[in-house]
Amino acid sequence: MRGRFITFEGGEGAGKSTQIRRLRERLEKAGLAVTVTREPGGSPGAEVIREVLLSGKAKSLGPRGEAMLFAAARADHVDATIRPALEAGAWVLCDRYADSTRVYQGEAGVDRQMLDLLELAATAGLKPDLTILIDVPAEIGLKRVEARSYNPAGAAPDRFETDTLAVHERRRALFLELADSEPDRIAVVDGTGDAVTVEAAIWQTVEARLGLAGHG
Ligand code: T5A
């Protein structure tokens, strides 16, 4: 049986990676096979493009050129990682997917028609069964990222994390608009509580929307 495809979206420091780890544990306890992956990246070819994008080396291409690189990475990721895992019956948990391009590159000025074309080219119509949008005010997410970067083991801020607060707030508004336009696919979860509270809200959503009642 084909697995289910769940994507996580949200601004910087929303808590996506943290919650993906927690959901993975719950699903595995329920006896399901789980593949965790991320964008940009998630396949050897796409990881090369990730390095180019997040280092800022591709910034000079402009938002449209960057959008094309995100799409190229996504096409490889879908072909090499996501589709094979779904076909093998795994539940795929993916940290960011096509909604991130709509929001980040859309906010930067790439028009809707171009975003539609790139999405089709990259995904060949593969849509998530469920998208969890973890919503936090930009200021809170950025404080978390900043706190992490003080930790010597933590990553330094990347190309997109260094944008202004106003840009981050516009991205948040665009994510919420997307959720309004596709309520059957996108569930908004309040990410301001502690990790345990957010985890419980996500589990409730997954159970209710993907029919896992009784597995938790
Ligand atoms: N991008 C991506 C585009 O522009 N277009 C695209 O098409 C795609 C796919 C990716 C960047 O690329 C852009 C968007 C991004 O800027 P990334 O390194 O993958 O870069 O960055 P993010 O996806 O933003 O990942 P982050 O790690 O920054 O954020 P997460 O995963 O949402 O947050 P997480 O879980 O790592 O948590 C951040 C910190 O907060 C703490 C954690 O311990 C951690 O230290 N935390 C909490 N603290 C308090 N309360 C909670 N509930 C917490 N949850 C986590």
Side-chain angles (χ1 to χ4, degrees), residues 11-18 39-40 50 54 70 74 95-97 100-101 104-105 144-145 148 158 160-161 191 193-195 198:
E12 313 299 324
K16 301 179 303 303
S17 319
T18 304
E39 290 208 351
R50 175 185 176 91
L54 298 195
F70 278 111
R74 182 161 304 126
D95 194 336
R96 299 192 181 280
Y97 189 60
S100 279
T101 305
Y104 281 71
Q105 282 62 56
R144 290 179 187 168
V145 169
R148 185 178 54 188
D158 67 37
F160 297 93
E161 284 166 357
D194 61 31
V198 179

PDB file of all heavy atoms in Angstrom, residues 11-18 39-40 50 54 70 74 95-97 100-101 104-105 144-145 148 158 160-161 191 193-195 198, ligand 1:
ATOM      1  N   GLY A  11       7.890  29.473   9.167  1.00  0.00           N
ATOM      2  CA  GLY A  11       9.035  30.380   9.076  1.00  0.00           C
ATOM      3  C   GLY A  11      10.266  29.789   9.745  1.00  0.00           C
ATOM      4  O   GLY A  11      10.267  28.641  10.200  1.00  0.00           O
ATOM      5  N   GLU A  12      11.301  30.598   9.814  1.00  0.00           N
ATOM      6  CA  GLU A  12      12.560  30.174  10.446  1.00  0.00           C
ATOM      7  C   GLU A  12      12.292  29.902  11.933  1.00  0.00           C
ATOM      8  O   GLU A  12      11.609  30.669  12.598  1.00  0.00           O
ATOM      9  CB  GLU A  12      13.608  31.297  10.332  1.00  0.00           C
ATOM     10  CG  GLU A  12      13.742  31.936   8.961  1.00  0.00           C
ATOM     11  CD  GLU A  12      14.168  30.957   7.884  1.00  0.00           C
ATOM     12  OE1 GLU A  12      14.966  30.069   8.201  1.00  0.00           O
ATOM     13  OE2 GLU A  12      13.700  31.091   6.743  1.00  0.00           O
ATOM     14  N   GLY A  13      12.865  28.799  12.421  1.00  0.00           N
ATOM     15  CA  GLY A  13      12.759  28.493  13.852  1.00  0.00           C
ATOM     16  C   GLY A  13      11.355  28.162  14.328  1.00  0.00           C
ATOM     17  O   GLY A  13      11.075  28.199  15.531  1.00  0.00           O
ATOM     18  N   ALA A  14      10.467  27.809  13.414  1.00  0.00           N
ATOM     19  CA  ALA A  14       9.084  27.485  13.809  1.00  0.00           C
ATOM     20  C   ALA A  14       9.042  26.197  14.636  1.00  0.00           C
ATOM     21  O   ALA A  14       8.115  25.985  15.431  1.00  0.00           O
ATOM     22  CB  ALA A  14       8.206  27.338  12.568  1.00  0.00           C
ATOM     23  N   GLY A  15      10.043  25.343  14.446  1.00  0.00           N
ATOM     24  CA  GLY A  15      10.070  24.074  15.195  1.00  0.00           C
ATOM     25  C   GLY A  15       9.782  22.864  14.316  1.00  0.00           C
ATOM     26  O   GLY A  15       9.440  21.792  14.817  1.00  0.00           O
ATOM     27  N   LYS A  16       9.952  23.005  13.009  1.00  0.00           N
ATOM     28  CA  LYS A  16       9.620  21.906  12.086  1.00  0.00           C
ATOM     29  C   LYS A  16      10.486  20.661  12.345  1.00  0.00           C
ATOM     30  O   LYS A  16       9.950  19.568  12.488  1.00  0.00           O
ATOM     31  CB  LYS A  16       9.785  22.358  10.630  1.00  0.00           C
ATOM     32  CG  LYS A  16       8.910  23.542  10.257  1.00  0.00           C
ATOM     33  CD  LYS A  16       9.111  23.973   8.827  1.00  0.00           C
ATOM     34  CE  LYS A  16      10.535  24.341   8.483  1.00  0.00           C
ATOM     35  NZ  LYS A  16      11.134  25.421   9.315  1.00  0.00           N
ATOM     36  N   SER A  17      11.812  20.855  12.382  1.00  0.00           N
ATOM     37  CA  SER A  17      12.696  19.679  12.557  1.00  0.00           C
ATOM     38  C   SER A  17      12.400  18.985  13.890  1.00  0.00           C
ATOM     39  O   SER A  17      12.358  17.761  13.963  1.00  0.00           O
ATOM     40  CB  SER A  17      14.173  20.082  12.545  1.00  0.00           C
ATOM     41  OG  SER A  17      14.411  21.032  11.561  1.00  0.00           O
ATOM     42  N   THR A  18      12.209  19.792  14.928  1.00  0.00           N
ATOM     43  CA  THR A  18      11.906  19.245  16.255  1.00  0.00           C
ATOM     44  C   THR A  18      10.645  18.388  16.204  1.00  0.00           C
ATOM     45  O   THR A  18      10.597  17.266  16.704  1.00  0.00           O
ATOM     46  CB  THR A  18      11.684  20.420  17.252  1.00  0.00           C
ATOM     47  OG1 THR A  18      12.840  21.248  17.235  1.00  0.00           O
ATOM     48  CG2 THR A  18      11.392  19.934  18.654  1.00  0.00           C
ATOM     49  N   GLU A  39      13.897  19.774   2.485  1.00  0.00           N
ATOM     50  CA  GLU A  39      14.204  20.593   1.303  1.00  0.00           C
ATOM     51  C   GLU A  39      14.766  21.942   1.738  1.00  0.00           C
ATOM     52  O   GLU A  39      14.362  22.452   2.781  1.00  0.00           O
ATOM     53  CB  GLU A  39      12.925  20.810   0.489  1.00  0.00           C
ATOM     54  CG  GLU A  39      12.459  19.537  -0.175  1.00  0.00           C
ATOM     55  CD  GLU A  39      11.675  19.788  -1.460  1.00  0.00           C
ATOM     56  OE1 GLU A  39      11.345  20.953  -1.752  1.00  0.00           O
ATOM     57  OE2 GLU A  39      11.420  18.814  -2.157  1.00  0.00           O
ATOM     58  N   PRO A  40      15.611  22.593   0.939  1.00  0.00           N
ATOM     59  CA  PRO A  40      16.194  21.979  -0.245  1.00  0.00           C
ATOM     60  C   PRO A  40      17.110  20.844   0.173  1.00  0.00           C
ATOM     61  O   PRO A  40      17.741  20.921   1.223  1.00  0.00           O
ATOM     62  CB  PRO A  40      16.976  23.127  -0.895  1.00  0.00           C
ATOM     63  CG  PRO A  40      17.275  24.075   0.231  1.00  0.00           C
ATOM     64  CD  PRO A  40      16.136  23.953   1.181  1.00  0.00           C
ATOM     65  N   ARG A  50      21.409  22.463  -2.463  1.00  0.00           N
ATOM     66  CA  ARG A  50      21.157  23.096  -1.154  1.00  0.00           C
ATOM     67  C   ARG A  50      22.338  23.959  -0.738  1.00  0.00           C
ATOM     68  O   ARG A  50      22.180  25.095  -0.315  1.00  0.00           O
ATOM     69  CB  ARG A  50      20.895  22.009  -0.094  1.00  0.00           C
ATOM     70  CG  ARG A  50      20.747  22.570   1.319  1.00  0.00           C
ATOM     71  CD  ARG A  50      20.615  21.479   2.375  1.00  0.00           C
ATOM     72  NE  ARG A  50      20.578  22.048   3.704  1.00  0.00           N
ATOM     73  CZ  ARG A  50      19.480  22.402   4.349  1.00  0.00           C
ATOM     74  NH1 ARG A  50      18.309  22.205   3.796  1.00  0.00           N
ATOM     75  NH2 ARG A  50      19.519  22.957   5.544  1.00  0.00           N
ATOM     76  N   LEU A  54      21.866  27.865   0.088  1.00  0.00           N
ATOM     77  CA  LEU A  54      21.887  28.384   1.460  1.00  0.00           C
ATOM     78  C   LEU A  54      23.162  29.143   1.791  1.00  0.00           C
ATOM     79  O   LEU A  54      23.186  29.959   2.708  1.00  0.00           O
ATOM     80  CB  LEU A  54      21.640  27.268   2.481  1.00  0.00           C
ATOM     81  CG  LEU A  54      20.286  26.566   2.379  1.00  0.00           C
ATOM     82  CD1 LEU A  54      19.998  25.753   3.639  1.00  0.00           C
ATOM     83  CD2 LEU A  54      19.132  27.526   2.122  1.00  0.00           C
ATOM     84  N   PHE A  70      15.636  25.868  -6.682  1.00  0.00           N
ATOM     85  CA  PHE A  70      14.810  25.123  -5.717  1.00  0.00           C
ATOM     86  C   PHE A  70      13.984  24.060  -6.462  1.00  0.00           C
ATOM     87  O   PHE A  70      13.822  22.940  -5.983  1.00  0.00           O
ATOM     88  CB  PHE A  70      13.868  26.059  -4.945  1.00  0.00           C
ATOM     89  CG  PHE A  70      14.523  26.759  -3.772  1.00  0.00           C
ATOM     90  CD1 PHE A  70      14.763  28.127  -3.793  1.00  0.00           C
ATOM     91  CD2 PHE A  70      14.890  26.041  -2.643  1.00  0.00           C
ATOM     92  CE1 PHE A  70      15.366  28.770  -2.710  1.00  0.00           C
ATOM     93  CE2 PHE A  70      15.488  26.676  -1.548  1.00  0.00           C
ATOM     94  CZ  PHE A  70      15.724  28.040  -1.578  1.00  0.00           C
ATOM     95  N   ARG A  74      14.080  20.059  -6.104  1.00  0.00           N
ATOM     96  CA  ARG A  74      12.831  19.332  -5.759  1.00  0.00           C
ATOM     97  C   ARG A  74      12.575  18.201  -6.751  1.00  0.00           C
ATOM     98  O   ARG A  74      12.156  17.110  -6.345  1.00  0.00           O
ATOM     99  CB  ARG A  74      11.666  20.338  -5.730  1.00  0.00           C
ATOM    100  CG  ARG A  74      10.325  19.723  -5.349  1.00  0.00           C
ATOM    101  CD  ARG A  74       9.338  20.788  -4.898  1.00  0.00           C
ATOM    102  NE  ARG A  74       9.905  21.557  -3.809  1.00  0.00           N
ATOM    103  CZ  ARG A  74      10.019  22.889  -3.793  1.00  0.00           C
ATOM    104  NH1 ARG A  74       9.538  23.612  -4.776  1.00  0.00           N
ATOM    105  NH2 ARG A  74      10.594  23.499  -2.773  1.00  0.00           N
ATOM    106  N   ASP A  95      10.569  18.137   5.605  1.00  0.00           N
ATOM    107  CA  ASP A  95      10.769  19.478   6.160  1.00  0.00           C
ATOM    108  C   ASP A  95      10.831  20.468   4.987  1.00  0.00           C
ATOM    109  O   ASP A  95      11.853  20.528   4.309  1.00  0.00           O
ATOM    110  CB  ASP A  95      12.093  19.467   6.946  1.00  0.00           C
ATOM    111  CG  ASP A  95      12.261  20.670   7.848  1.00  0.00           C
ATOM    112  OD1 ASP A  95      11.630  21.712   7.571  1.00  0.00           O
ATOM    113  OD2 ASP A  95      13.043  20.558   8.808  1.00  0.00           O
ATOM    114  N   ARG A  96       9.744  21.143   4.726  1.00  0.00           N
ATOM    115  CA  ARG A  96       9.546  22.082   3.607  1.00  0.00           C
ATOM    116  C   ARG A  96       9.332  21.348   2.282  1.00  0.00           C
ATOM    117  O   ARG A  96       9.886  20.286   2.039  1.00  0.00           O
ATOM    118  CB  ARG A  96      10.699  23.077   3.434  1.00  0.00           C
ATOM    119  CG  ARG A  96      10.923  23.982   4.634  1.00  0.00           C
ATOM    120  CD  ARG A  96      11.877  25.112   4.281  1.00  0.00           C
ATOM    121  NE  ARG A  96      12.132  25.984   5.420  1.00  0.00           N
ATOM    122  CZ  ARG A  96      11.321  26.954   5.835  1.00  0.00           C
ATOM    123  NH1 ARG A  96      10.184  27.186   5.205  1.00  0.00           N
ATOM    124  NH2 ARG A  96      11.647  27.702   6.870  1.00  0.00           N
ATOM    125  N   TYR A  97       8.515  22.005   1.407  1.00  0.00           N
ATOM    126  CA  TYR A  97       8.251  21.454   0.067  1.00  0.00           C
ATOM    127  C   TYR A  97       7.785  22.645  -0.777  1.00  0.00           C
ATOM    128  O   TYR A  97       8.185  23.793  -0.514  1.00  0.00           O
ATOM    129  CB  TYR A  97       7.197  20.336   0.201  1.00  0.00           C
ATOM    130  CG  TYR A  97       6.929  19.500  -1.040  1.00  0.00           C
ATOM    131  CD1 TYR A  97       7.941  18.748  -1.645  1.00  0.00           C
ATOM    132  CD2 TYR A  97       5.641  19.436  -1.592  1.00  0.00           C
ATOM    133  CE1 TYR A  97       7.675  17.961  -2.769  1.00  0.00           C
ATOM    134  CE2 TYR A  97       5.360  18.657  -2.702  1.00  0.00           C
ATOM    135  CZ  TYR A  97       6.382  17.920  -3.295  1.00  0.00           C
ATOM    136  OH  TYR A  97       6.105  17.144  -4.404  1.00  0.00           O
ATOM    137  N   SER A 100       6.972  26.294   0.359  1.00  0.00           N
ATOM    138  CA  SER A 100       8.067  27.211   0.725  1.00  0.00           C
ATOM    139  C   SER A 100       8.494  28.052  -0.472  1.00  0.00           C
ATOM    140  O   SER A 100       8.821  29.232  -0.321  1.00  0.00           O
ATOM    141  CB  SER A 100       9.277  26.428   1.262  1.00  0.00           C
ATOM    142  OG  SER A 100       9.085  26.087   2.611  1.00  0.00           O
ATOM    143  N   THR A 101       8.501  27.457  -1.674  1.00  0.00           N
ATOM    144  CA  THR A 101       8.866  28.252  -2.853  1.00  0.00           C
ATOM    145  C   THR A 101       7.806  29.317  -3.102  1.00  0.00           C
ATOM    146  O   THR A 101       8.120  30.476  -3.397  1.00  0.00           O
ATOM    147  CB  THR A 101       8.998  27.347  -4.098  1.00  0.00           C
ATOM    148  OG1 THR A 101       9.929  26.312  -3.802  1.00  0.00           O
ATOM    149  CG2 THR A 101       9.495  28.129  -5.305  1.00  0.00           C
ATOM    150  N   TYR A 104       8.489  31.953  -0.072  1.00  0.00           N
ATOM    151  CA  TYR A 104       9.776  32.671  -0.034  1.00  0.00           C
ATOM    152  C   TYR A 104      10.073  33.367  -1.362  1.00  0.00           C
ATOM    153  O   TYR A 104      10.392  34.556  -1.396  1.00  0.00           O
ATOM    154  CB  TYR A 104      10.929  31.722   0.331  1.00  0.00           C
ATOM    155  CG  TYR A 104      11.027  31.432   1.809  1.00  0.00           C
ATOM    156  CD1 TYR A 104      10.076  30.645   2.448  1.00  0.00           C
ATOM    157  CD2 TYR A 104      12.058  31.945   2.587  1.00  0.00           C
ATOM    158  CE1 TYR A 104      10.164  30.374   3.812  1.00  0.00           C
ATOM    159  CE2 TYR A 104      12.153  31.678   3.949  1.00  0.00           C
ATOM    160  CZ  TYR A 104      11.205  30.896   4.542  1.00  0.00           C
ATOM    161  OH  TYR A 104      11.288  30.641   5.884  1.00  0.00           O
ATOM    162  N   GLN A 105       9.969  32.604  -2.474  1.00  0.00           N
ATOM    163  CA  GLN A 105      10.308  33.221  -3.754  1.00  0.00           C
ATOM    164  C   GLN A 105       9.136  34.089  -4.231  1.00  0.00           C
ATOM    165  O   GLN A 105       9.339  35.082  -4.934  1.00  0.00           O
ATOM    166  CB  GLN A 105      10.699  32.151  -4.777  1.00  0.00           C
ATOM    167  CG  GLN A 105      12.129  31.600  -4.587  1.00  0.00           C
ATOM    168  CD  GLN A 105      12.367  30.907  -3.249  1.00  0.00           C
ATOM    169  OE1 GLN A 105      11.647  29.966  -2.904  1.00  0.00           O
ATOM    170  NE2 GLN A 105      13.352  31.365  -2.486  1.00  0.00           N
ATOM    171  N   ARG A 144      14.619  32.033  18.414  1.00  0.00           N
ATOM    172  CA  ARG A 144      15.057  30.639  18.596  1.00  0.00           C
ATOM    173  C   ARG A 144      16.283  30.341  17.724  1.00  0.00           C
ATOM    174  O   ARG A 144      17.228  29.698  18.164  1.00  0.00           O
ATOM    175  CB  ARG A 144      13.931  29.672  18.220  1.00  0.00           C
ATOM    176  CG  ARG A 144      12.768  29.682  19.192  1.00  0.00           C
ATOM    177  CD  ARG A 144      11.706  28.705  18.687  1.00  0.00           C
ATOM    178  NE  ARG A 144      10.492  28.764  19.470  1.00  0.00           N
ATOM    179  CZ  ARG A 144       9.349  28.184  19.101  1.00  0.00           C
ATOM    180  NH1 ARG A 144       9.291  27.519  17.960  1.00  0.00           N
ATOM    181  NH2 ARG A 144       8.275  28.272  19.861  1.00  0.00           N
ATOM    182  N   VAL A 145      16.251  30.839  16.485  1.00  0.00           N
ATOM    183  CA  VAL A 145      17.376  30.596  15.570  1.00  0.00           C
ATOM    184  C   VAL A 145      18.632  31.278  16.110  1.00  0.00           C
ATOM    185  O   VAL A 145      19.732  30.721  16.089  1.00  0.00           O
ATOM    186  CB  VAL A 145      17.039  31.112  14.153  1.00  0.00           C
ATOM    187  CG1 VAL A 145      18.264  31.117  13.253  1.00  0.00           C
ATOM    188  CG2 VAL A 145      15.937  30.267  13.523  1.00  0.00           C
ATOM    189  N   ARG A 148      20.075  29.403  18.966  1.00  0.00           N
ATOM    190  CA  ARG A 148      20.768  28.206  18.488  1.00  0.00           C
ATOM    191  C   ARG A 148      22.158  28.566  17.928  1.00  0.00           C
ATOM    192  O   ARG A 148      23.097  27.815  18.082  1.00  0.00           O
ATOM    193  CB  ARG A 148      19.919  27.529  17.414  1.00  0.00           C
ATOM    194  CG  ARG A 148      20.480  26.217  16.931  1.00  0.00           C
ATOM    195  CD  ARG A 148      19.589  25.578  15.907  1.00  0.00           C
ATOM    196  NE  ARG A 148      19.300  26.476  14.794  1.00  0.00           N
ATOM    197  CZ  ARG A 148      18.422  26.229  13.836  1.00  0.00           C
ATOM    198  NH1 ARG A 148      17.714  25.130  13.873  1.00  0.00           N
ATOM    199  NH2 ARG A 148      18.226  27.080  12.856  1.00  0.00           N
ATOM    200  N   ASP A 158      21.613  31.244   7.815  1.00  0.00           N
ATOM    201  CA  ASP A 158      21.827  31.048   6.382  1.00  0.00           C
ATOM    202  C   ASP A 158      21.304  32.240   5.581  1.00  0.00           C
ATOM    203  O   ASP A 158      20.806  33.221   6.142  1.00  0.00           O
ATOM    204  CB  ASP A 158      21.226  29.705   5.912  1.00  0.00           C
ATOM    205  CG  ASP A 158      19.710  29.678   5.995  1.00  0.00           C
ATOM    206  OD1 ASP A 158      19.072  30.710   5.716  1.00  0.00           O
ATOM    207  OD2 ASP A 158      19.164  28.616   6.333  1.00  0.00           O
ATOM    208  N   PHE A 160      18.650  32.941   3.964  1.00  0.00           N
ATOM    209  CA  PHE A 160      17.284  33.427   4.101  1.00  0.00           C
ATOM    210  C   PHE A 160      16.967  33.886   5.527  1.00  0.00           C
ATOM    211  O   PHE A 160      16.039  34.637   5.749  1.00  0.00           O
ATOM    212  CB  PHE A 160      16.284  32.354   3.643  1.00  0.00           C
ATOM    213  CG  PHE A 160      16.445  32.017   2.184  1.00  0.00           C
ATOM    214  CD1 PHE A 160      17.252  30.974   1.773  1.00  0.00           C
ATOM    215  CD2 PHE A 160      15.825  32.787   1.202  1.00  0.00           C
ATOM    216  CE1 PHE A 160      17.440  30.683   0.425  1.00  0.00           C
ATOM    217  CE2 PHE A 160      16.008  32.504  -0.148  1.00  0.00           C
ATOM    218  CZ  PHE A 160      16.810  31.452  -0.540  1.00  0.00           C
ATOM    219  N   GLU A 161      17.779  33.411   6.492  1.00  0.00           N
ATOM    220  CA  GLU A 161      17.525  33.789   7.888  1.00  0.00           C
ATOM    221  C   GLU A 161      17.958  35.223   8.165  1.00  0.00           C
ATOM    222  O   GLU A 161      17.518  35.823   9.141  1.00  0.00           O
ATOM    223  CB  GLU A 161      18.267  32.824   8.830  1.00  0.00           C
ATOM    224  CG  GLU A 161      17.560  31.482   8.937  1.00  0.00           C
ATOM    225  CD  GLU A 161      18.395  30.379   9.581  1.00  0.00           C
ATOM    226  OE1 GLU A 161      19.569  30.616   9.906  1.00  0.00           O
ATOM    227  OE2 GLU A 161      17.853  29.276   9.728  1.00  0.00           O
ATOM    228  N   GLY A 191       2.532  27.214  17.012  1.00  0.00           N
ATOM    229  CA  GLY A 191       3.865  26.735  17.395  1.00  0.00           C
ATOM    230  C   GLY A 191       4.473  27.498  18.551  1.00  0.00           C
ATOM    231  O   GLY A 191       5.660  27.336  18.823  1.00  0.00           O
ATOM    232  N   GLY A 193       3.697  27.344  21.805  1.00  0.00           N
ATOM    233  CA  GLY A 193       3.798  26.612  23.077  1.00  0.00           C
ATOM    234  C   GLY A 193       5.096  25.827  23.149  1.00  0.00           C
ATOM    235  O   GLY A 193       5.924  25.873  22.221  1.00  0.00           O
ATOM    236  N   ASP A 194       5.271  25.085  24.269  1.00  0.00           N
ATOM    237  CA  ASP A 194       6.500  24.272  24.337  1.00  0.00           C
ATOM    238  C   ASP A 194       6.391  23.085  23.383  1.00  0.00           C
ATOM    239  O   ASP A 194       5.324  22.792  22.845  1.00  0.00           O
ATOM    240  CB  ASP A 194       6.811  23.848  25.786  1.00  0.00           C
ATOM    241  CG  ASP A 194       5.714  22.995  26.390  1.00  0.00           C
ATOM    242  OD1 ASP A 194       5.051  22.250  25.642  1.00  0.00           O
ATOM    243  OD2 ASP A 194       5.515  23.076  27.617  1.00  0.00           O
ATOM    244  N   ALA A 195       7.523  22.411  23.180  1.00  0.00           N
ATOM    245  CA  ALA A 195       7.578  21.363  22.149  1.00  0.00           C
ATOM    246  C   ALA A 195       6.568  20.240  22.416  1.00  0.00           C
ATOM    247  O   ALA A 195       5.995  19.680  21.482  1.00  0.00           O
ATOM    248  CB  ALA A 195       8.990  20.810  22.061  1.00  0.00           C
ATOM    249  N   VAL A 198       3.051  21.423  21.342  1.00  0.00           N
ATOM    250  CA  VAL A 198       2.933  21.465  19.877  1.00  0.00           C
ATOM    251  C   VAL A 198       2.845  20.034  19.338  1.00  0.00           C
ATOM    252  O   VAL A 198       2.032  19.730  18.453  1.00  0.00           O
ATOM    253  CB  VAL A 198       4.132  22.229  19.245  1.00  0.00           C
ATOM    254  CG1 VAL A 198       4.018  22.262  17.731  1.00  0.00           C
ATOM    255  CG2 VAL A 198       4.221  23.653  19.807  1.00  0.00           C
TER     256      VAL A 198
HETATM  257  N1  T5A B   1      13.633  27.919   1.178  1.00  0.00           N
HETATM  258  C1  T5A B   1      13.378  26.572   1.212  1.00  0.00           C
HETATM  259  C2  T5A B   1      13.175  28.717   0.139  1.00  0.00           C
HETATM  260  O1  T5A B   1      13.449  29.928   0.096  1.00  0.00           O
HETATM  261  N2  T5A B   1      12.448  28.132  -0.864  1.00  0.00           N
HETATM  262  C3  T5A B   1      12.175  26.792  -0.902  1.00  0.00           C
HETATM  263  O2  T5A B   1      11.519  26.293  -1.844  1.00  0.00           O
HETATM  264  C4  T5A B   1      12.666  25.967   0.192  1.00  0.00           C
HETATM  265  C5  T5A B   1      12.383  24.493   0.210  1.00  0.00           C
HETATM  266  C6  T5A B   1      16.057  26.279   4.327  1.00  0.00           C
HETATM  267  C7  T5A B   1      15.908  27.714   3.846  1.00  0.00           C
HETATM  268  O3  T5A B   1      15.569  27.716   2.477  1.00  0.00           O
HETATM  269  C8  T5A B   1      14.416  28.514   2.268  1.00  0.00           C
HETATM  270  C9  T5A B   1      13.703  28.535   3.582  1.00  0.00           C
HETATM  271  C10 T5A B   1      14.808  28.450   4.602  1.00  0.00           C
HETATM  272  O4  T5A B   1      15.251  29.754   4.885  1.00  0.00           O
HETATM  273  P1  T5A B   1      16.923  25.262   6.579  1.00  0.00           P
HETATM  274  O5  T5A B   1      18.288  25.295   7.172  1.00  0.00           O
HETATM  275  O6  T5A B   1      16.422  23.955   6.103  1.00  0.00           O
HETATM  276  O7  T5A B   1      16.884  26.317   5.415  1.00  0.00           O
HETATM  277  O8  T5A B   1      16.035  26.057   7.590  1.00  0.00           O
HETATM  278  P2  T5A B   1      14.585  25.898   8.161  1.00  0.00           P
HETATM  279  O9  T5A B   1      13.758  24.959   7.352  1.00  0.00           O
HETATM  280  O10 T5A B   1      14.029  27.250   8.359  1.00  0.00           O
HETATM  281  O11 T5A B   1      14.913  25.168   9.532  1.00  0.00           O
HETATM  282  P3  T5A B   1      15.206  25.740  10.972  1.00  0.00           P
HETATM  283  O12 T5A B   1      16.059  24.691  11.622  1.00  0.00           O
HETATM  284  O13 T5A B   1      15.712  27.124  10.978  1.00  0.00           O
HETATM  285  O14 T5A B   1      13.810  25.771  11.633  1.00  0.00           O
HETATM  286  P4  T5A B   1      12.869  24.647  12.185  1.00  0.00           P
HETATM  287  O15 T5A B   1      13.236  23.276  11.677  1.00  0.00           O
HETATM  288  O16 T5A B   1      11.499  25.090  11.966  1.00  0.00           O
HETATM  289  O17 T5A B   1      13.154  24.712  13.744  1.00  0.00           O
HETATM  290  P5  T5A B   1      13.889  23.669  14.745  1.00  0.00           P
HETATM  291  O18 T5A B   1      13.003  22.556  15.082  1.00  0.00           O
HETATM  292  O19 T5A B   1      15.239  23.396  14.233  1.00  0.00           O
HETATM  293  O20 T5A B   1      13.953  24.618  16.013  1.00  0.00           O
HETATM  294  C11 T5A B   1      14.740  25.787  16.043  1.00  0.00           C
HETATM  295  C12 T5A B   1      15.262  26.015  17.472  1.00  0.00           C
HETATM  296  O21 T5A B   1      14.157  26.259  18.333  1.00  0.00           O
HETATM  297  C13 T5A B   1      14.054  25.269  19.353  1.00  0.00           C
HETATM  298  C14 T5A B   1      14.917  24.095  18.882  1.00  0.00           C
HETATM  299  O22 T5A B   1      15.448  23.355  19.948  1.00  0.00           O
HETATM  300  C15 T5A B   1      15.987  24.786  18.052  1.00  0.00           C
HETATM  301  O23 T5A B   1      17.035  25.238  18.859  1.00  0.00           O
HETATM  302  N3  T5A B   1      12.625  24.920  19.459  1.00  0.00           N
HETATM  303  C16 T5A B   1      11.812  25.420  20.409  1.00  0.00           C
HETATM  304  N4  T5A B   1      12.024  26.270  21.414  1.00  0.00           N
HETATM  305  C17 T5A B   1      10.939  26.591  22.193  1.00  0.00           C
HETATM  306  N5  T5A B   1       9.681  26.085  21.995  1.00  0.00           N
HETATM  307  C18 T5A B   1       9.420  25.224  20.997  1.00  0.00           C
HETATM  308  N6  T5A B   1       8.174  24.753  20.798  1.00  0.00           N
HETATM  309  C19 T5A B   1      10.527  24.860  20.141  1.00  0.00           C
HETATM  310  N7  T5A B   1      10.611  24.054  19.066  1.00  0.00           N
HETATM  311  C20 T5A B   1      11.907  24.114  18.648  1.00  0.00           C
END
